[in-house]
Every structure is written in C-alpha cells, then in structure tokens.
C-alpha cells in the first residue's frame, strides 16, 4: 500500500516492481491527494499487467481503513507518522510485518564558506534540494538549514539572489498539491500567497520547527559554532536524510558517527534517491525498512527451497560442528574448503 503527497508515480511503481519481482500479488493504493497520478495508475497498470496479480485500489482514508482490515503478508506505507501509527496498529492485529517511509524534518548543515564559486554551487544545490522537489513536497527535501551566525547573512543574500534568478516566472514553481495543504502552509506564515520563503531563526517550539514543512518555506537556524548543529540535529526526531555542505573532514566524520538518519549526503542534496544501488529508507520516526533497486526485491522476497544449509539440522556430527565454528569465527575461506571436502 503506497500513500504520498508527492504527485509522482515512481513512489508507487518502485516498490511495486520489487514486490512483483519477488513473486507477490500486490494491492496498490495511491494517494487520494494526487488524483491524476492515482487515475493514471488505475487506468494503465491493468492494461499491461495481470489484474489478478496487481490491483490498483482508489479512494480516500475510508478505503485505506478497509484495506488494513484484511490479512496481508506485508504492508509498505509512505506518508505521515500520524497515519503510519494507525496503519501499524491495524497490521498488528494480524501480526503483519510493516515497512514505513515517513520522511521527517531533513536538516542541512551549511559550512561551505570557501571560495565564492563553492558558495554559489552549494547554494544552487540547496535550492534544488528544497524548492525543485515539487516545491519541497517530497519526503527527502531539505526542511531547514543550520549555519553559523557569522555566515547567515551572506548565505541568505546568495539564496535570495539565486532564487530570483532561478524562479523568474511563477510557472517555474510547482503548485501545492491541494487546498488543504495550501491552507496548512499559509497558517505557518499567516499569509495568503506562498512563494519561496526564507525564515531566519523562527521559534524552535513553533509549528514550522516541530512539524514537517512539506512546502516552499525554509527556516534558517543560526548557531554559535557549526559543531553545535550536531547536538541540534540529535535533539530532533531522526530524519530520513541529513545533508551537510562542508570541506571539514573532522566535521563530516562527527556527523556520520554521532547522528542517526536514513542517509547522509555531503555537499549535495536529494541525489541519493537517484542511485539505484543505494538502499532507501528511514530510521526511528522517519520510518523503517529499506527499498530501492534490489532492496525492493529483498524486502518482499519469500524464502525458497533451492538452497538449504543442512548443518543447522541435527544430528550434529563433528563435521557440522567444525563448519559452524568456521562460520561463527567469520573464517569463510576455511568454511568453503571444508564444505567442499577439501579440508579436514
């Protein structure tokens, strides 16, 4: 079951491909908040695939609730933590395993203040990682930026000038997916028109800093030292992604060692989703379970009967015990030799 605010069929098709490749039948419920995408999937999947193997179910929350009443082998949900809790509660009644991809407030740690060229490239990539992902209506979009106080003015200046250059026409910006989310974003700003908007140091207990923004508003939080950003991120719920623009190897190492997130990307943003060889998923409140490329296959894979390791079954004679000793000591070379009868 896939549900997302982003009007993009890939969020439904990617796990669908993995589930089918792993030999499953699939019930797919696209988001009712993206009706054009939902209708496209419903109209076309049945034309090219066996409808008894893949069924697209359209409808709102009541349809989703009805689906969760059934006994499934696996449920994949993409959406908000609030709905995810209801999905998990329903799946728990049947002890159904669940994978969740929930997004969250993805931070950007900005320490790239070297040459003017590096600064401009970093700002370009921040803008793409924020406003070019369907006006930030994506789970991996940058949610807020952390920067040292002394660098905040120059960062904001370059952001504003670059935004004017990138989005000279209003048609260059994606629209908010529906009226309800337009109203939600407007309430965060108390304005009626929403364009790419930068907010410096909003209150940390305000809605814009405690909820996932999912829109074209970018808070910038000034810290005394860039190292303070690590403690800031750790105090927040674990995000789907952390982005950091820095040439400082020690800072990079601390971010990897001391924070927890679905992924970490240095000196760029959002690009990790385009790499099929990397698993994609969250941790903690940003979700659990990984998919993407072969990982989608593995997530939905069922065990077969082609390969079976008989040494786990009794009776355990000396040869089986020896093989298990090799495995537990990670001596795979000796294990293979012994398994093939080449070593006594």
């Amino acid at each position: 079951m896939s549900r997302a605010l982003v009007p993009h069929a890939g969020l439904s098709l990617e796990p669908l491909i993995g589930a089918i490749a792993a030999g499953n039948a699939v019930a797919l419920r696209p988001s009712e908040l993206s009706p054009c995408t939902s209708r496209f999937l419903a109209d076309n999947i049945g034309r090219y695939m066996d409808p008894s193997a893949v069924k697209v179910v359209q409808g709102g929350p009541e349809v989703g609730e009805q689906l969760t009443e059934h006994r499934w082998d696996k449920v994949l949900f993409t959406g908000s933590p609030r709905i995810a809790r209801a999905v998990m509660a329903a799946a728990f009644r049947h002890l159904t395993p669940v994978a969740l991809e929930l997004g969250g407030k993805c931070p950007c740690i900005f320490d790239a203040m070297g040459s003017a060229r590096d600064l401009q490239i970093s700002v370009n990539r921040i803008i793409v990682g924020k406003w070019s992902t369907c006006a930030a209506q994506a789970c991996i979009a940058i949610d807020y930026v952390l920067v040292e106080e002394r660098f905040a003015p120059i960062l904001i200046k370059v952001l504003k000038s670059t935004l004017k250059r990138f989005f000279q026409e209003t048609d260059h910006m994606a629209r908010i997916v529906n009226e309800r989310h337009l109203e939600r974003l407007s309430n965060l700003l108390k304005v009626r028109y929403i364009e790419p908007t930068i907010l410096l140091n909003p209150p940390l207990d305000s809605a814009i800093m405690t909820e996932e923004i999912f829109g074209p508003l970018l808070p910038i939080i000034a810290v005394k030292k860039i190292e303070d950003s690590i403690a800031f991120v750790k105090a927040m719920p674990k995000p789907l992604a952390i982005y950091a623009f820095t040439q400082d190897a020690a800072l990079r190492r601390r971010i990897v060692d001391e924070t927890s997130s679905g992924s970490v990307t240095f000196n760029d943003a959002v690009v990790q989703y385009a790499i099929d060889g990397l698993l994609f998923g969250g941790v903690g409140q940003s979700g659990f379970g990984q998919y993407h490329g072969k990982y989608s296959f593995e997530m939905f894979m069922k065990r077969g009967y082609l390969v079976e390791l008989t040494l786990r079954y009794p009776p355990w004679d000396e040869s089986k015990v020896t093989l298990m000793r090799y495995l537990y000591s990670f001596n795979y070379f000796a294990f293979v030799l012994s398994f093939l009868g080449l070593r006594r």
Side-chain angles (χ1 to χ4, degrees):
M1 185 192 316
S2 177
R3 182 178 188 278
L5 296 183
V6 184
H8 194 287
L11 285 176
S12 294
L13 293 177
E14 184 172 9
L16 174 65
I17 291 168
I20 294 172
N24 300 279
V26 179
L28 174 69
R29 188 178 83 86
S31 173
E32 77 280 5
L33 302 180
S34 302
C36 293
T37 298
S38 179
R39 206 159 41 243
F40 172 83
L41 293 172
D43 292 344
N44 288 279
I45 285 181
R47 294 173 55 190
Y48 299 100
M49 305 196 70
D50 184 350
S52 66
V54 181
K55 177 68 174 178
V56 178
V57 182
Q58 298 188 84
E62 68 287 348
V63 173
E65 292 175 7
Q66 292 172 17
L67 285 173
T68 59
E69 293 175 1
H70 294 273
R71 191 184 303 273
W72 304 99
D73 293 321
K74 185 102 178 192
V75 172
L76 169 64
F77 172 81
T78 301
S80 70
R82 179 178 62 85
I83 305 299
R85 291 184 179 93
V87 171
M88 282 198 68
F92 176 77
R93 292 197 295 269
H94 303 297
L95 298 181
T96 300
V98 177
L100 302 176
E101 195 272 277
L102 307 178
K105 296 184 73 64
C106 298
C108 174
I109 299 171
F110 189 80
D111 184 42
M113 306 303 293
S115 67
R117 180 178 182 274
D118 289 348
L119 171 60
Q120 185 62 66
I121 291 174
S122 297
V123 167
N124 293 349
R125 292 174 178 177
I126 287 174
I127 290 174
V128 169
K130 175 64 177 180
W131 287 283
S132 293
T133 50
C134 295
Q137 297 172 96
C139 54
I140 55 174
I142 292 172
D143 196 272
Y144 63 95
V145 174
L146 293 160
V147 63
E148 284 191 10
E149 290 178 346
R150 57 184 175 142
F151 295 138
I154 184 64
L155 172 60
I156 293 173
K157 178 181 178 181
V158 179
L159 275 170
K160 290 170 67 175
S161 62
T162 308
L163 281 167
K164 289 179 180 178
R165 179 160 48 89
F166 280 4
F167 300 109
Q168 296 183 25
E169 303 292 337
T170 58
D171 287 345
H172 295 170
M173 272 286 293
R175 295 305 189 254
I176 305 304
V177 68
N178 60 27
E179 289 294 330
R180 180 165 65 86
H181 284 281
L182 177 64
E183 182 179 355
R184 177 184 63 82
L185 290 166
S186 298
N187 287 337
L188 293 179
L189 282 181
K190 302 301 181 184
V191 297
R192 296 195 58 80
Y193 173 69
I194 297 178
E195 60 183 347
T197 304
I198 298 169
L199 301 95
L200 179 61
N201 290 327
L204 299 184
D205 60 352
S206 62
I208 203 166
M209 288 305 301
T210 57
E211 302 173 8
E212 184 179 6
I213 296 172
F214 227 72
L217 318 177
L218 181 65
I220 293 181
I221 306 299
V223 294
K224 294 292 184 182
K225 298 183 299 182
I226 196 62
E227 290 79 8
D228 297 339
S229 61
I230 295 176
F232 189 99
V233 171
K234 289 173 66 176
M236 302 283 277
K238 296 178 181 180
L240 183 61
I242 293 175
Y243 306 109
F245 289 81
T246 180
Q247 300 298 331
D248 187 334
L251 179 61
R252 291 200 299 267
R253 174 48 54 192
R254 285 194 61 191
I255 292 170
V256 171
D257 290 345
E258 299 179 30
T259 66
S260 179
S261 62
S263 66
V264 178
T265 301
F266 292 113
N267 299 325
D268 214 325
V270 179
V271 294
Q272 77 276 15
Y273 187 80
I275 304 173
D276 286 336
L278 294 179
L279 53 79
F280 181 79
V283 60
Q285 190 163 314
S286 59
F288 48 81
Q290 290 80 36
Y291 66 101
H292 217 160
K294 77 182 186 74
Y295 301 102
S296 297
F297 173 85
E298 292 174 354
M299 182 171 67
F300 292 106
M301 182 177 62
K302 294 181 179 179
R303 284 279 281 153
Y305 296 95
L306 181 61
V307 178
E308 181 68 343
L309 198 61
T310 57
L311 67 87
R312 65 179 179 164
Y313 302 125
W316 291 289
D317 55 24
E318 187 59 34
S319 64
K320 287 184 178 180
V321 172
T322 299
L323 286 170
M324 284 191 283
R325 285 196 180 109
Y326 289 145
L327 282 179
Y328 283 119
S329 63
F330 304 104
N331 191 346
Y332 301 123
F333 181 70
F335 172 84
V336 172
L337 290 180
S338 183
F339 183 79
L340 297 176
L342 302 177
R343 179 173 179 168
R344 298 288 181 183

